Amino acid sequence: MDAHFERRLLLSMNGQSSLQSLSPFKSPLQSPLKTSDRYIPFRSSLTVSNLHYQINTQTSMSPNQTCPTSPNKKRKYEHNQIGLGSGVTASETDLAVYRQLLQNTLLNTNVDSILNMSDVQNMNNQENCKTVSTKKSSINKENSSVSLSSTPIFRYCERVENTTSTSSLINKHHFTRSPLPNASVHLLYSPKKSIRRIPKVPYKVLDAPDLHDDFYLNLIDWSSSNVLSVGLGACVYLCNAQSNNVQLLCDLTHTQLPSGSGSQSSIVGSDTVTSVAWADWSNILAVGTNRGHVHIYDVTTQKRLQSMCKHTSRVGTLAWNDWTLCSGSRDRSIIEHEIRQQSAVHVFHGHTQEVCGLKWSPDKSILASGGNDNRLFLWSKSQPSQPLHSFNDHLAAVKAIAWSPHQHGLMASGGGTADRHIRFRSSLTCQTLNVCDTGSQVCQLVWSKNSPNELASTHGYSQNQIVVWKYPVMQPLAKLFGHQQRVLYLAMSPDGESIVTGAGDETLRFWNVFAKAKCVRNPDSKLNGLNRMR
């Protein structure tokens, strides 16, 4: 036999040509490594803490790659990693369940609910961060170019002896026919909560010239008939949110205005709009002016029904309660007007500076008022002479006031630039329930009509943003940006799904922030044919 036959055979197996020159300076050839399929892992030690292993959901970047992978490529990479090729689609929730099933089977994580998946992932991330930090400290300069993805998955560790008896380990899942463990079966049958995504971009933007940049005014309101009223300078405009038709309701530039003395004489002058508020029925609109007048308009006929001139300064806020209307003014008073009698019923005295916030409770029994004196008062309709309670914990003007339509007596109030806090109170116990630091001036607040644990707030200095909160943990679900100045005005649509915001940048922006209302069917309806079946 040829003496060089074995050498040529090894060269061909290593991919080299036998015709190449054999240099004596080259390293000696090594025989190919032999692999075996006889390795059987010991499954009882395959735990997350022993293996230090995590199923990565992010692609590892090469040293030459400087920019992260785009979301589309990342999602496509994940699909390919788990075997989902073209033509097969899966949601992010399904992918998370698939990865968790693998961990339950291979690593014995025993996660039986989708709600517990995030906790396990956070724990694994912390453990892997510690492992990676120890790896980096042990790698020398020569091996710094080697990526962490090449590290072995399995490691040696001390085996912990199981001291529990065999009889105590026998349970019901040992007798099931399913190849999956009991935790994985529960995971598959656990309810999947759909993730509601809040759009970060407004679905409609309108120009609003001459929209005042004044913190103490309330210049927009949304009626139950889906008509938006906006006070721009000396005019009030009506915008149909469905058809986008805009019409002028009134112009106070050149009109006859009643005098402040309440006599029958009239003067001719100009005035500006400082507040607007729709009545509980959709065709009546109240307009407050800079002169201290309150005008009542019929939107259907576009005529002024009456005017009330009881204030001596501007009317910055209005609040309806059936046939009565409360108006707050810079003259530090709150007047309750009876529309049918055309007279003032009650006068509330308590604030020492301008009143800038008024809101009735959902049952129309308690009136909350906030002012520039940093105080919040609760007034009873049956006892208007003195307030039920006063809160003095705000450090700035209290304009943002909102009552919860779901929990009786729950109210939220927000402070100005020096305060920046949202405080939740109970009108039943007159106690503060929760406090949240928002980091910026709180301008307006509104509770969701469809979800009992969500509310939205608009902010001024210095964020100029809209935040949707999760109550009572007060975690921000979404932060919406778009306005260039303070977001001073806020109103909610009649269906409770959208809000409109106005700012000093003279724009109105419409946002879809809240969930849709659940459809409740009436089983006793005559249109239900099942009731007539026998």
Side-chain angles (χ1 to χ4, degrees):
M1 181 181 291
D2 190 1
H4 299 284
F5 175 76
E6 184 179 358
R7 187 176 185 87
R8 289 196 303 270
L9 179 62
L10 291 176
L11 284 175
S12 62
M13 293 178 63
N14 284 274
Q16 298 181 5
S17 176
S18 60
L19 300 179
Q20 294 179 352
S21 61
L22 300 177
S23 175
F25 300 100
K26 290 186 179 181
S27 59
L29 295 176
Q30 299 179 358
S31 61
L33 297 177
K34 297 183 180 180
T35 58
S36 174
D37 59 347
R38 304 301 298 171
Y39 174 72
I40 301 177
F42 188 61
R43 289 298 180 89
S44 63
S45 63
L46 295 184
T47 60
V48 180
S49 59
N50 293 339
L51 293 180
H52 305 285
Y53 177 68
Q54 179 192 17
I55 299 179
N56 297 323
T57 57
Q58 295 182 357
T59 59
S60 59
M61 297 172 56
S62 61
N64 299 329
Q65 188 177 358
T66 58
C67 60
T69 312
S70 62
N72 295 332
K73 294 182 178 179
K74 175 182 175 181
R75 190 176 296 108
K76 184 176 180 181
Y77 176 82
E78 293 177 358
H79 290 183
N80 294 332
Q81 287 294 101
I82 65 173
L84 296 179
S86 59
V88 181
T89 58
S91 61
E92 295 182 2
T93 306
D94 295 336
L95 293 177
V97 172
Y98 178 81
R99 286 190 290 266
Q100 191 58 53
L101 286 176
L102 291 179
Q103 294 184 14
N104 286 351
T105 306
L106 300 177
L107 308 181
N108 292 334
T109 54
N110 294 327
V111 176
D112 57 354
S113 177
I114 297 180
L115 301 179
N116 301 331
M117 290 170 52
S118 59
D119 300 336
V120 176
Q121 291 176 1
N122 294 335
M123 181 182 65
N124 294 343
N125 290 336
Q126 295 176 0
E127 294 180 357
N128 281 276
C129 290
K130 295 179 181 178
T131 306
V132 172
S133 61
T134 56
K135 291 178 183 177
K136 289 185 178 179
S137 60
S138 62
I139 294 178
N140 51 15
K141 296 182 181 180
E142 296 179 358
N143 299 329
S144 60
S145 61
V146 181
S147 61
L148 295 178
S149 60
S150 61
T151 57
I153 294 179
F154 300 97
R155 295 184 176 184
Y156 291 100
C157 64
E158 295 185 6
R159 180 180 299 177
V160 179
E161 297 295 337
N162 192 2
T163 59
T164 59
S165 60
T166 309
S167 60
S168 62
L169 296 178
I170 299 177
N171 50 28
K172 182 175 62 176
H173 82 274
H174 286 86
F175 304 97
T176 182
R177 297 182 178 179
S178 176
L180 298 177
N182 195 24
S184 298
V185 174
H186 285 287
L187 179 62
L188 290 175
Y189 283 99
S190 61
K192 299 178 182 179
K193 185 178 180 181
S194 60
I195 301 176
R196 181 173 62 89
R197 301 188 181 276
I198 300 177
K200 299 298 183 67
V201 179
Y203 66 89
K204 182 167 59 176
V205 180
L206 299 178
D207 291 332
D210 296 332
L211 185 64
H212 291 297
D213 185 13
D214 196 328
F215 176 78
Y216 303 98
L217 306 185
N218 294 271
L219 295 177
I220 63 175
D221 197 13
W222 210 330
S223 72
S224 58
S225 60
N226 207 15
V227 178
L228 182 68
S229 60
V230 185
L232 302 178
C235 303
V236 176
Y237 291 91
L238 303 178
C239 176
N240 192 314
Q242 184 175 4
S243 61
N244 294 329
N245 292 331
V246 180
Q247 60 179 350
L248 176 65
L249 177 64
C250 64
D251 188 356
L252 304 181
T253 304
H254 302 287
T255 183
Q256 290 186 351
L257 301 176
S259 61
S261 60
S263 60
Q264 298 296 330
S265 61
S266 61
I267 58 175
V268 177
S270 62
D271 204 350
T272 56
V273 180
T274 54
S275 59
V276 293
W278 287 98
D280 296 333
W281 50 96
S282 58
N283 60 333
I284 302 298
L285 180 67
V287 179
T289 67
N290 192 45
R291 289 177 177 264
H293 305 155
V294 178
H295 306 298
I296 308 298
Y297 286 90
D298 187 353
V299 177
T300 306
T301 60
Q302 295 189 359
K303 292 183 179 181
R304 184 192 302 174
L305 301 180
Q306 55 179 294
S307 298
M308 295 162 286
C309 310
K310 303 296 182 180
H311 291 288
T312 59
S313 186
R314 70 179 184 183
V315 179
T317 178
L318 299 167
W320 284 91
N321 186 355
D322 200 11
W323 286 100
T324 60
L325 174 66
C326 291
S327 58
S329 174
R330 185 185 276 180
D331 60 6
R332 301 167 294 177
S333 65
I334 303 172
I335 301 179
E336 185 179 5
H337 308 273
E338 176 63 39
I339 304 302
R340 292 173 294 186
Q341 299 178 2
Q342 299 186 7
S343 61
V345 180
H346 302 294
V347 179
F348 303 91
H349 293 286
H351 288 282
T352 58
Q353 292 190 32
E354 181 178 3
V355 181
C356 53
L358 284 177
K359 282 292 170 59
W360 282 99
S361 60
D363 58 356
K364 306 296 182 182
S365 61
I366 298 178
L367 175 67
S369 64
N372 198 27
D373 53 0
N374 309 344
R375 304 177 73 182
L376 176 69
F377 287 100
L378 298 181
W379 308 86
S380 176
K381 188 177 182 180
S382 59
Q383 298 176 357
S385 58
Q386 58 183 0
L388 294 176
H389 192 77
S390 63
F391 299 94
N392 306 322
D393 48 359
H394 280 291
L395 303 179
V398 183
K399 175 190 176 184
I401 302 174
W403 291 86
S404 173
H406 307 281
Q407 184 175 346
H408 181 65
L410 179 59
M411 177 189 58
S413 60
T417 307
D419 185 75
R420 307 184 305 273
H421 284 77
I422 300 177
R423 304 178 187 272
F424 298 89
R425 317 174 193 274
S426 173
S427 62
L428 305 179
T429 61
C430 296
Q431 294 180 354
T432 301
L433 305 177
N434 194 4
V435 180
C436 175
D437 187 3
T438 63
S440 58
Q441 178 188 36
V442 183
C443 301
Q444 291 285 359
L445 286 169
V446 63
W447 287 87
S448 172
K449 295 180 181 179
N450 307 325
S451 179
N453 53 0
E454 291 184 6
L455 72 157
S457 62
T458 63
H459 300 272
Y461 301 121
S462 58
Q463 301 295 330
N464 301 335
Q465 63 181 352
I466 303 104
V467 183
V468 183
W469 302 93
K470 184 80 170 180
Y471 179 82
V473 295
M474 293 307 293
Q475 294 180 354
L477 299 178
K479 294 183 179 181
L480 310 177
F481 298 92
H483 288 287
Q484 303 300 322
Q485 296 186 23
R486 297 183 296 174
V487 189
L488 300 174
Y489 312 112
L490 172 67
M492 181 186 289
S493 62
D495 59 2
E497 299 179 11
S498 304
I499 60 173
V500 57
T501 57
D505 56 4
E506 298 184 348
T507 60
L508 298 178
R509 298 175 185 268
F510 295 78
W511 314 80
N512 281 322
V513 295
F514 293 128
K516 295 182 180 180
K518 297 181 180 180
C519 181
V520 179
R521 296 182 180 181
N522 185 11
D524 298 331
S525 175
K526 295 181 179 180
L527 299 178
N528 190 358
L530 297 178
N531 290 336
R532 297 191 295 270
M533 294 178 62
R534 293 184 181 179

